[in-house]
Amino acid sequence: VQSCRVMEELGCVPGRDFYLMPDFVLFMPDDFPVSKARKGTLLCLRDDEESVIDKDAISRGLGEGRVTRIKMAMNHVEIPVSMRRLFLSHKIGQFSAAELVVTDRLHAMILSAFAGTPCVAFDNINRKVSGVYEWIRSLDYIAVTDDEAKLSELAGSMRKKAGEDNRRKFFALQDELKGEFLARFAMCLK
């Protein structure tokens, strides 16, 4: 989102149109196994300069209960191509086994959406989370906020959606996005 705005402001590549496209992870195929049993909260937070949330406030907002902390990947290591599907399958398994995900990471929000797992996401310093949320805001089991004080309330309302057929909602949205993406792509080829 920010990159597109900067390119427009700078007038880069005169005579070319720029189109904002959804994150490609939103187009993953529906061939990854997901857990049917959901339990507890999965907490996946940044530990770098992009994080802008108060982690203590997040812990207070979650209160008591089963909270599992995970990382997306260690130290931004590049995962070998031969291991990527296995890694992704493992992550989807983690996200789909949770009743709720709380995150400030873009791809954790997207994997939650894909897995059908309710999610409360906080934006980070570069606003990537809220930017991609604009593409998926129709998914009622995903919420984005900048206010840590709203976590307890949002977590309660999102947990109620854990039993719904959220994956059906995700793949219906994915079909809509594919149609929009293909139409924009076709315009670029003209």
Side-chain angles (χ1 to χ4, degrees):
V1 175
Q2 188 175 11
S3 299
C4 191
R5 274 191 232 120
V6 168
M7 302 231 0
E8 287 173 351
E9 288 170 10
L10 294 175
C12 294
V13 194
R16 293 285 189 167
D17 291 326
F18 292 94
Y19 298 96
L20 186 60
M21 301 300 235
D23 190 294
F24 273 38
V25 180
L26 290 169
F27 298 110
M28 287 191 303
D30 183 18
D31 63 352
F32 288 92
V34 294
S35 176
K36 299 292 182 203
R38 296 183 182 276
K39 189 172 181 184
T41 299
L42 192 67
L43 188 60
C44 183
L45 299 176
R46 303 192 74 89
D47 57 3
D48 60 14
E49 64 280 352
E50 288 189 38
S51 180
V52 294
I53 60 171
D54 177 351
K55 290 178 178 58
D56 292 333
I58 299 299
S59 295
R60 286 190 303 274
L62 288 174
E64 300 298 317
R66 181 175 164 223
V67 176
T68 304
R69 289 172 168 77
I70 66 163
K71 293 184 179 271
M72 286 300 285
M74 300 300 291
N75 302 324
H76 298 288
V77 297
E78 184 165 339
I79 300 164
V81 173
S82 63
M83 298 296 294
R84 288 180 186 166
R85 185 164 179 84
L86 180 63
F87 176 81
L88 192 53
S89 187
H90 173 71
K91 286 296 171 191
I92 291 169
Q94 287 180 306
F95 282 82
S96 68
E99 183 181 30
L100 174 71
V101 172
V102 176
T103 190
D104 62 350
R105 299 192 67 93
L106 170 63
H107 291 103
M109 178 183 71
I110 293 173
L111 289 180
S112 297
F114 178 87
T117 303
C119 175
V120 176
F122 292 88
D123 222 341
N124 53 26
I125 200 164
N126 57 27
R127 316 280 304 157
K128 287 189 293 192
V129 174
S130 59
V132 171
Y133 178 70
E134 291 304 312
W135 293 98
I136 65 171
R137 76 177 317 117
S138 65
L139 299 176
D140 64 351
Y141 59 99
I142 307 292
V144 172
T145 184
D146 285 329
D147 187 355
E148 292 98 343
K150 291 183 178 177
L151 176 57
S152 182
E153 176 188 337
L154 283 170
S157 65
M158 289 293 114
R159 277 191 182 99
K160 292 176 185 171
K161 299 181 180 297
E164 296 178 11
D165 187 7
N166 295 325
R167 284 182 48 84
R168 179 189 51 74
K169 297 173 191 175
F170 175 82
F171 288 107
L173 175 63
Q174 187 185 68
D175 286 343
E176 288 177 33
L177 291 174
K178 282 179 186 175
E180 185 176 337
F181 171 75
L182 290 173
R184 287 185 182 193
F185 186 70
M187 287 173 40
C188 291
L189 294 177
K190 291 183 179 182

